[in-house]
Amino acid sequence: MTPSFTRSFTAEPRHIDEMGHVNNAVWVQWIQDMATAQWDAVARAEDRARYVWLVVRHEIDYRGNIDVGQSVEATTWIEGGARGAKSLRRVDFRNAAGKVIVSAATTWAMLERETGRPARVRPEVIAPFV
């Protein structure tokens, strides 16, 4: 079983677009917030100090939405092993009924903070996440 990380988000008036639902850009921000929160909570201190992750690609499926005041439970996990400097992260958002309403696959690249260059994801760096 792959370790997962869970957090809740509640739609506020500022998250709602002219169509009356949570704006796509907000979902992207929440996806990135999930990745950052898990990294901060799980990664070793020396890895947090040495590396930073940047998004290479987002692929998002929208199957529903929520209204102001409603919440979703987001769960994220690393899918598969790292490939070079890249890692695939999944994020699912479930509504109050437990239905997945937004699902994302995002590819992240790990960079050395000091140089800004891609760094191969070593087993000891990814181990707490898989």
Side-chain angles (χ1 to χ4, degrees):
M1 178 73 184
T2 300
S4 61
F5 182 83
T6 302
R7 180 176 169 197
S8 294
F9 294 90
T10 301
E12 298 176 11
R14 65 187 172 96
H15 298 138
I16 306 301
D17 64 17
E18 62 188 23
M19 297 302 292
H21 55 67
V22 173
N23 187 282
N24 292 358
V26 174
W27 290 109
V28 171
Q29 183 62 58
W30 289 351
I31 289 164
Q32 292 184 187
D33 290 349
M34 286 297 293
T36 301
Q38 186 183 32
W39 174 253
D40 289 344
V42 177
R44 301 176 312 168
E46 60 267 28
D47 294 333
R48 289 191 313 271
R50 184 173 181 187
Y51 303 111
V52 63
W53 290 87
L54 297 178
V55 172
V56 175
R57 180 171 191 245
H58 285 302
E59 183 178 341
I60 306 169
D61 295 314
Y62 299 98
R63 300 182 186 106
N65 218 310
I66 57 173
D67 296 323
V68 171
Q70 292 182 319
S71 297
V72 288
E73 182 176 88
T75 303
T76 189
W77 66 97
I78 303 297
E79 189 169 272
R83 292 181 312 245
K86 295 180 183 177
S87 177
L88 179 66
R89 173 179 294 277
R90 300 289 313 198
V91 184
D92 283 346
F93 293 88
R94 295 179 183 276
N95 64 13
K99 179 184 174 194
V100 174
I101 59 170
V102 175
S103 183
T106 64
T107 303
W108 293 75
M110 190 174 78
L111 307 178
E112 292 269 356
R113 281 188 187 274
E114 189 174 304
T115 66
R117 297 190 59 168
R120 178 173 295 280
V121 181
R122 292 178 177 79
E124 64 272 14
V125 173
I126 198 111
F129 299 89
V130 294

